[in-house]
Amino acid sequence: MSSPENAIKAAVEEDVQVIGVSSLSGAHLRTGEYLLKLARQKGLNKSMAFLIGGVIPPNDIKRLLEIGFWKVCPSGTKREELVKAVKDAANSVNE
């Protein structure tokens, strides 16, 4: 498991446009808020798009979008939809 700090550090080092997070533990709100807080502190929230997926209750999707995730992909999201989400997220950063 990578920490939010490590994810941000790696994203900066690799000059990525999209960070995708998978949450299976039920800590998606806490971890997601912290990850996006770190991104904002480093000024990365404008140059990177953030996606989250995994075991996410439908009631939490709106909150995750409100805190700054570009897309939420709960369990059962089809591969084609995930690929499209990543491509669309990358394109949104380049605009």
Side-chain angles (χ1 to χ4, degrees):
M1 178 174 144
S2 181
S3 69
E5 292 89 355
N6 289 340
I8 293 291
K9 181 180 178 208
V12 169
E13 289 173 357
E14 298 295 326
D15 193 28
V16 304
Q17 297 168 312
V18 179
I19 294 179
V21 180
S22 177
S23 178
L24 303 174
S25 68
H28 49 277
L29 290 174
R30 183 178 65 241
T31 303
E33 286 177 340
Y34 184 56
L35 176 72
L36 291 170
K37 177 183 172 187
L38 292 174
R40 283 190 295 276
Q41 288 174 348
K42 295 192 176 285
L44 302 173
N45 55 314
K46 302 291 185 204
S47 62
M48 293 179 188
F50 295 81
L51 286 75
I52 190 166
V55 182
I56 299 173
N59 294 340
D60 291 345
I61 292 173
K62 181 179 177 189
R63 177 69 185 136
L64 290 164
L65 294 170
E66 289 172 349
I67 63 174
F69 280 97
W70 192 87
K71 175 86 172 163
V72 179
C73 301
S75 298
T77 301
K78 295 184 188 286
R79 182 181 319 172
E80 297 80 16
E81 187 178 345
L82 290 171
V83 170
K84 182 178 181 340
V86 172
K87 287 180 179 179
D88 290 348
N91 288 335
S92 77
V93 171
N94 290 326
E95 293 177 347

